[in-house]
Amino acid sequence: MIKKKLILEKTDNEFEINGVFNPGCYQEGDFVHMFYRAVCSTTNSSIGYAKLNKYNEVIERNSEPIIKRDFDYERHGVEDPRIVKVDDTFYIFYVAYDGKNALTAYATGSDLFNMEKKGIVSPTIKYSEVKKIIHGPQRYIDRADLYIKNVGEDILFWSKDVFLFPEKINGKFYMMIRVLPDIQIISFNNFDEINNDFWINYFFKGLNDSIVIECLDGRHVGGGCPPIKTPDGWLIIFHSVDSNRVYHTSVALLDLDNPLKVISRLKEPLFSPTEDWEKEGTVPNVVFATGTAIFDDRLCIYYGAADKRIGVAELSLKELLKKLC
């Protein structure tokens, strides 16, 4: 049984007067640190902060953004953060939007509240060039053509829903990424490796080897919450979008040692928009999961609702794993 609750809405503060949604979360004992996308009156985004207790009650909330738009490549938005801690370092990945291009940037630090921005981590390659080098099914070329048609020949590869696994696997970082309409995973030794040569030679030219979750029907799938390590495998909570543009929350289980191996995947969504506050908003019919916390057996999935509010879905982790195993 899944229980849903609306937990955060916009305020009259200018930076979040138009909506709050898609929160990145880090659990610390009985508390959840929530970094959420906040939209101001001009529709630009920054990142707000709230602290929740284990009952998902807000006990602290900043009146100013915790992450602002500092650079030209993010001048219109810092969006949709995901948070993990690998060893002793926090990593926040977020979408950097300049008004035309949506790229993935990241920040790191040993202190969650004093992060250093490291810049763009995703490819800075035009779709027109990606088309020439990509080794993958025709559906990837078709999506590239769609972006070029809608935005222009100079549009860069659109990079959203990118984040790290919360620990290294066999000594390597693992990163979930998305080339529409599917989800892919890559691995690397350190961030110094990540440049356009890496993306071209390792990723785009070998794309077939990186696909982990395919879009079986509908429009596309995309990464959601950072993976959860369980004894049965990596629990992957992602979003799937149907042909009517309704966003659902879906689930898969990946092998612990080789995350490119799918152990199982639920045929039906875990949950879908059913409440009025999920169906009505800036973008209707959206449940967009981006963070989790676990209290005993209670799995809390935090999500953006209709690009306007933040909700939480609560369910039994054991029962969910039974369905997947």
Side-chain angles (χ1 to χ4, degrees), residues 298-325:
R298 181 167 54 101
L299 171 62
C300 298
I301 302 173
Y302 302 96
Y303 61 95
D307 281 13
K308 198 72 173 181
R309 312 164 186 88
I310 295 172
V312 61
E314 300 181 3
L315 63 153
S316 165
L317 178 58
K318 290 180 181 178
E319 291 301 317
L320 177 57
L321 290 173
K322 281 182 183 179
K323 292 181 180 180
L324 288 161
C325 295

Side-chain angles (χ1 to χ4, degrees), residues 81-87 89-94 104-108 121 161-169 172-177 185-191 194 199 224-228 234 236:
R82 269 77 159 199
I83 306 169
V84 298
K85 188 178 185 182
V86 181
D87 298 328
T89 303
F90 288 102
Y91 294 84
I92 295 183
F93 279 50
Y94 62 93
T104 295
Y106 76 111
T108 67
V121 70
D161 305 327
V162 180
F163 46 85
L164 291 177
F165 278 62
E167 67 177 58
K168 292 181 181 178
I169 303 171
K172 289 189 172 187
F173 289 101
Y174 272 68
M175 181 191 291
M176 188 163 281
I177 188 169
I185 290 176
I186 63 168
S187 62
F188 54 95
N189 293 306
N190 58 70
F191 280 84
I194 307 299
W199 288 114
C225 309
I228 300 170
W234 290 105
I236 304 298

Side-chain angles (χ1 to χ4, degrees), residues 163-222:
F163 46 85
L164 291 177
F165 278 62
E167 67 177 58
K168 292 181 181 178
I169 303 171
N170 300 318
K172 289 189 172 187
F173 289 101
Y174 272 68
M175 181 191 291
M176 188 163 281
I177 188 169
R178 182 188 73 178
V179 180
L180 289 170
D182 305 323
I183 299 173
Q184 299 79 22
I185 290 176
I186 63 168
S187 62
F188 54 95
N189 293 306
N190 58 70
F191 280 84
D192 292 337
E193 297 177 17
I194 307 299
N195 53 38
N196 278 349
D197 286 340
F198 171 92
W199 288 114
I200 291 170
N201 296 313
Y202 177 75
F203 183 60
F204 288 121
K205 289 185 177 181
L207 191 58
N208 281 332
D209 297 328
S210 300
I211 301 169
V212 62
I213 298 176
E214 292 187 59
C215 180
L216 302 177
D217 52 39
R219 292 178 58 83
H220 68 265
V221 294

Side-chain angles (χ1 to χ4, degrees), residues 6 15 30 43 72 124 131 158 161 165 170-171 176 206 208 213 217 294:
L6 176 62
F15 82 100
D30 286 340
T43 72
D72 192 55
T124 52
K131 280 180 56 180
W158 199 266
D161 305 327
F165 278 62
N170 300 318
M176 188 163 281
N208 281 332
I213 298 176
D217 52 39
I294 301 171

Side-chain angles (χ1 to χ4, degrees), residues 21 51 124 131 152 154 175 178-179 235 249 283 288 304 325:
F21 51 103
K51 185 177 181 180
T124 52
K131 280 180 56 180
D154 60 342
M175 181 191 291
R178 182 188 73 178
V179 180
L235 181 62
T249 296
V283 181
F288 194 90
C325 295

Side-chain angles (χ1 to χ4, degrees), residues 80-137:
D80 305 351
R82 269 77 159 199
I83 306 169
V84 298
K85 188 178 185 182
V86 181
D87 298 328
D88 296 323
T89 303
F90 288 102
Y91 294 84
I92 295 183
F93 279 50
Y94 62 93
V95 176
Y97 183 55
D98 66 3
K100 181 174 186 176
N101 298 294
L103 305 175
T104 295
Y106 76 111
T108 67
S110 58
D111 180 350
L112 188 58
F113 303 100
N114 291 284
M115 308 288 281
E116 179 184 359
K117 289 184 177 180
K118 297 292 187 178
I120 302 298
V121 70
S122 62
T124 52
I125 305 171
K126 295 178 182 178
Y127 265 114
S128 56
E129 295 300 316
V130 169
K131 280 180 56 180
K132 298 175 184 177
I133 58 178
I134 200 167
H135 285 193

